[in-house]
Amino acid sequence: MKILVPLKRVPDPDTKIRIKPDGPGIELDGVKFAVNPFDAIALEEALRIEEKLGEMEVVVVSIGGEECVEQLRVGLAMGADRALLVKTSESLDSLAVAKVLAAVYRREKPDFVLMGKQAIDDDSNQAGQMLAAMLGVGQATFVSKLELIENNTKARCGRETDAGIETITVRLPAVLTTDLRLNEPRYVSLPGIMKAKKKPLEEMTPADLGVAATSRTKIFKLESPPKRKAGVRVKTVDELVDKLKNEAKVI
Amino acid sequence: MATILVIAEHDDGQLKLATLSAVAFAKRVIAEAGGTFDILVIGDGVDLVAEALRSYGAASVLAAERPELKSPLADKHAHVIAEAARQRGSTLIVGAASTFSKDILPRGAALLDAGMLSDVVDVTCDGDDFVFRRILFAGNAIATVKLEGAVKFLTVRAAAFAPPPKGAELSRVEKLTVDAGSLPDFIVCEGREAKVAGRPDSTEARVVVSGGRAIKNAEDFERLIGGLADALGGAVGSSRALVDAGITPNSLQIGQTGKIVAPEVYFAIGMSGAIQHLAGMKDTKVIVAINKDPDAPIFEVADFGLVGDAYQVVPELIERLRN
Ligand SMILES: Cc1cc2nc3c(=O)[nH]c(=O)nc-3n(C[C@H](O)[C@H](O)[C@H](O)COP(=O)(O)OP(=O)(O)OC[C@H]3O[C@@H](n4cnc5c(N)ncnc54)[C@H](O)[C@@H]3O)c2cc1C
Ligand SMILES: Nc1ncnc2c1ncn2[C@@H]1O[C@H](COP(=O)(O)O)[C@@H](O)[C@H]1O
């Protein structure tokens, strides 16, 4: 069995991003980068499946500049067996990412893809669903519980929906996207880092894979949202109720 | 000129109000750019939903009905959406930003090789060209974007597009024929968690009372957060901390990766105000924060802040509101 896990390089969720004054982008100076948290969860789940089934391969792939090697190394240190970097200097939207991933999929022929539900920088929440459509396979999004059944030919998934947990079974191959509650990703260990250095990391371009990776989304302005001004402190419950009733008139 | 397809969302035959925000978006585009819109309802037994959507000015309400379409499974639903968009020549396909749309619309977009924008909060028309604004980076940035391609998929934030008033004229209801043999069959629904009846959904309520890590267990959550919500006729919500701790179900999580709400009043009780949480409630009209730490970041965005212990303040507040 082989599982493909895409890893996106994103600003660490704990850093506060600053918008560049001159052009659509964020300040990169001093920003710490990390593996997209949902992708780390996807990798953790793939590794747990590998530990359970043995005789398996977990392949991580990142699309972006040379700097994505950093996140691929983290993936290898966590326990992935092999890494692929699809090198591009363009910033790609989810449709373009899905096209690249579809090409990687055709090359690697994994049994399924486990990936994040959303990249925490663009917050699009699209690439997995698009990839599934392009491959003509099933999907399970927002997965918080995963179990392989029927001789690993199907996945039974608990999905987090607005209405509560939904349970579906999806035939493999498929694309599964992770939600926060699926697991807690392991930390990278020192022996893990040492081992990662010897693991294969292959670089290629979209052209090598036979895809044109161009983004249809053109961002031409990035702004900070209007700031809420801090309001007033009230001392007592009575004062609070009075303000809500008579000043804000909302209750 | 735009030919828009609005994807209706319903809960087993019960219209989800957020659908009307997508309708409002369509009406706004048409007012500026000209054109028409259709509304597509998919399911099994959707007469009432279709009927409820007739008074908003759609050219037609399309009903795609089949027993296989009862559960909102992405493979089948995306197929039907792509088929309807092809038949109608739709150029903009839009749904409300919800887990339903997020699951299904990107799949439909890829079937038509169309790009997609999530969480759109504004649109202007520059001739036949659309300029959108959308939220990203956990609500810390607003992007002004264009999307290339003849067909575009979008989800819109309910808070940004107020439901339109009903009109006197009724749209025609049309059946959209679905060839059962062509429906993909990758996914089977085994069941859904029973809904907790009673309180309104946080995305639809005027008042949302939300609890954070300060709340120690499910009983306390029900007594304090639920109690205050009931005293105000509101909905309940929570931070991720409580969902992770198993104190609240995932459907209560508000934030970057949970629900986005924008009620009249939001009570943030015993939560710090992490950016990921703020991303889900920052557009609220009035934010009330109750926290025992006077330096908690939540106070920086609150209109009214009360420093105090939730276990003491909230029962007092409930008591005061009941009288
Ligand atoms: C990728 C990612 C996505 C995320 N998505 C979300 C999301 O969608 N939604 C979300 O909410 N979080 C999300 N988070 C988590 C977020 O970063 C915070 O960890 C979380 O919101 C903190 O919850 P909290 O405020 O309840 O807890 P804490 O940050 O622990 O705050 C608890 C607060 O309660 C106060 N307090 C304690 N006891 C009392 C008392 N007795 N009375 C009054 N006050 C008291 C404390 O002073 C403190 O301010 C996400 C994180 C990541 C990395
Ligand atoms: N540049 C990238 N490299 C690798 N994976 C990516 C990239 N962009 C997106 N993904 C994957 O697609 C998921 C959804 O991304 P998005 O549609 O941008 O929210 C992410 O969680 C990743 O798993």
Side-chain angles (χ1 to χ4, degrees):
Chain A
M1 176 117 104
K2 190 199 274 193
I3 307 177
L4 183 66
V5 182
L7 303 180
K8 185 175 188 185
R9 172 183 169 92
V10 298
D12 185 285
D14 292 329
T15 49
K16 207 169 160 60
I17 61 132
R18 283 162 301 130
I19 288 163
K20 264 200 212 147
D22 56 344
I26 59 162
E27 298 280 9
L28 296 179
D29 286 353
V31 174
K32 225 176 84 193
F33 281 85
V35 172
N36 184 43
F38 292 100
D39 301 353
I41 292 169
L43 177 55
E44 174 65 36
E45 197 66 18
L47 295 173
R48 289 185 190 183
I49 294 170
E50 183 171 44
E51 282 155 12
K52 203 162 135 200
L53 300 182
E55 281 305 300
M56 243 196 68
E57 196 180 26
V58 175
V59 181
V60 288
V61 54
S62 193
I63 308 163
E66 188 66 39
E67 60 282 1
C68 297
V69 164
E70 212 184 303
Q71 279 61 49
L72 289 172
R73 292 264 178 237
V74 172
L76 293 171
M78 278 175 72
D81 301 297
R82 197 150 64 73
L84 307 172
L85 171 63
V86 184
K87 246 170 121 171
T88 169
S89 54
E90 250 205 90
S91 118
L92 301 181
D93 59 9
S94 306
L95 186 71
V97 164
K99 285 181 181 172
V100 173
L101 291 177
V104 172
Y105 179 99
R106 293 197 176 101
R107 194 186 108 129
E108 290 290 331
K109 302 187 177 56
D111 290 274
F112 59 99
V113 183
L114 249 169
M115 60 198 277
K117 75 165 178 179
Q118 129 189 24
I120 61 153
D121 50 0
D122 64 51
D123 279 338
S124 287
N125 198 328
Q126 300 169 5
Q129 299 87 310
M130 288 175 161
L131 173 62
M134 288 171 190
L135 298 173
V137 302
Q139 70 183 55
T141 51
F142 328 142
V143 173
S144 61
K145 200 156 187 251
L146 170 61
E147 188 193 349
L148 297 181
I149 56 169
E150 295 179 29
N151 257 329
N152 307 328
T153 57
K154 285 183 185 170
R156 177 182 284 130
C157 304
R159 304 180 53 231
E160 296 202 352
T161 74
D162 289 344
I165 306 282
E166 179 188 80
T167 306
I168 62 171
T169 51
V170 56
R171 209 164 2 110
L172 301 181
V175 178
L176 314 178
T177 79
T178 59
D179 218 316
L180 293 168
R181 252 77 55 186
L182 183 58
N183 61 48
E184 282 245 21
R186 67 195 64 186
Y187 287 104
V188 166
S189 67
L190 196 58
I193 295 171
M194 299 312 290
K195 266 197 226 157
K197 289 189 175 143
K198 294 196 201 85
K199 291 180 181 172
L201 192 158
E202 193 185 341
E203 293 191 9
M204 64 198 76
T205 64
D208 294 337
L209 291 163
V211 278
T214 45
S215 191
R216 301 233 184 115
T217 309
K218 308 285 176 205
I219 300 190
F220 49 94
K221 200 157 122 199
L222 209 57
E223 297 161 88
S224 295
K227 258 213 153 94
R228 281 189 85 97
K229 50 180 174 20
V232 296
R233 296 281 170 107
V234 293
K235 295 225 149 49
T236 64
V237 163
D238 279 350
E239 198 188 334
L240 176 62
V241 172
D242 176 63
K243 294 256 192 224
L244 291 174
K245 272 202 171 130
N246 304 316
E247 196 173 296
K249 299 194 172 37
V250 287
I251 62 168
Chain B
M1 286 274 282
T3 311
I4 306 179
L5 185 64
V6 172
I7 311 303
E9 181 174 350
H10 60 95
D11 204 349
D12 227 350
Q14 188 88 31
L15 178 70
K16 295 287 281 179
L17 285 180
T19 303
L20 297 180
S21 304
V23 171
F25 169 89
K27 290 179 86 86
R28 173 117 140 242
V29 170
I30 281 162
E32 263 193 66
T36 57
F37 74 99
D38 298 314
I39 305 176
L40 173 63
V41 190
I42 310 171
D44 183 28
V46 295
D47 291 355
L48 289 178
V49 188
E51 199 54 42
L53 288 166
R54 287 181 74 191
S55 27
Y56 295 99
S60 50
V61 176
L62 304 170
E65 289 196 89
R66 284 210 67 88
E68 297 88 341
L69 297 171
K70 185 168 170 57
S71 303
L73 297 175
D75 52 352
K76 295 184 182 58
H77 273 55
H79 175 89
V80 172
I81 289 168
E83 198 45 52
R86 265 193 219 111
Q87 280 184 27
R88 294 277 144 172
S90 315
T91 51
L92 280 180
I93 294 91
V94 56
S98 60
T99 53
F100 167 85
S101 299
K102 287 175 184 170
D103 183 42
I104 296 165
L105 265 56
R107 188 175 178 107
L111 291 176
L112 297 176
D113 191 30
M116 175 159 171
L117 297 173
S118 303
D119 295 297
V120 169
V121 292
D122 199 8
V123 58
T124 46
C125 307
D126 174 6
D128 253 358
D129 219 7
F130 302 109
V131 181
F132 302 98
R133 278 156 64 83
R134 64 172 297 261
I135 307 285
L136 63 172
F137 282 112
N140 287 309
I142 305 175
T144 305
V145 299
K146 282 193 183 181
L147 183 59
E148 290 172 353
V151 180
K152 302 171 174 67
F153 276 63
L154 312 167
T155 60
V156 297
R157 286 254 176 117
F161 300 94
K166 287 190 180 186
E169 219 173 299
L170 293 184
S171 318
R172 60 174 185 269
V173 178
E174 269 178 69
K175 293 269 172 236
L176 186 92
T177 339
V178 179
D179 169 20
S182 68
L183 284 174
D185 190 20
F186 301 115
I187 314 167
V188 176
C189 182
E190 289 197 357
R192 297 185 137 208
E193 203 176 45
K195 257 219 327 238
V196 239
R199 296 192 183 108
D201 189 286
S202 61
T203 57
E204 293 177 358
R206 264 193 69 251
V207 178
V208 177
V209 181
S210 201
R213 201 186 305 271
I215 309 299
K216 295 192 190 77
N217 54 53
E219 294 78 59
D220 291 354
F221 184 87
E222 186 47 35
R223 180 168 57 87
L224 300 172
I225 307 302
L228 182 55
D230 291 344
L232 292 162
V236 292
S238 84
S239 71
R240 177 184 168 188
L242 290 193
V243 186
D244 284 353
I247 294 171
T248 52
N250 77 284
S251 53
L252 257 52
Q253 180 175 313
I254 288 167
Q256 179 188 17
T257 55
K259 285 183 179 167
I260 310 284
V261 303
E264 296 265 298
V265 205
Y266 188 89
F267 286 82
I269 299 173
M271 55 173 66
S272 59
I275 51 167
Q276 291 89 359
H277 188 79
L278 299 184
M281 41 66 84
K282 252 192 329 200
D283 294 325
T284 297
K285 197 164 148 219
V286 175
I287 297 175
V288 179
I290 297 171
N291 196 303
K292 69 175 182 191
D293 173 9
D295 297 321
I298 189 73
F299 286 123
E300 288 162 30
V301 298
D303 298 280
F304 301 110
L306 179 56
V307 177
D309 187 326
Y311 279 78
Q312 201 185 322
V313 171
V314 177
E316 230 184 284
L317 190 53
I318 296 171
E319 188 60 31
R320 177 74 174 64
L321 289 168
R322 287 226 176 99
N323 295 325

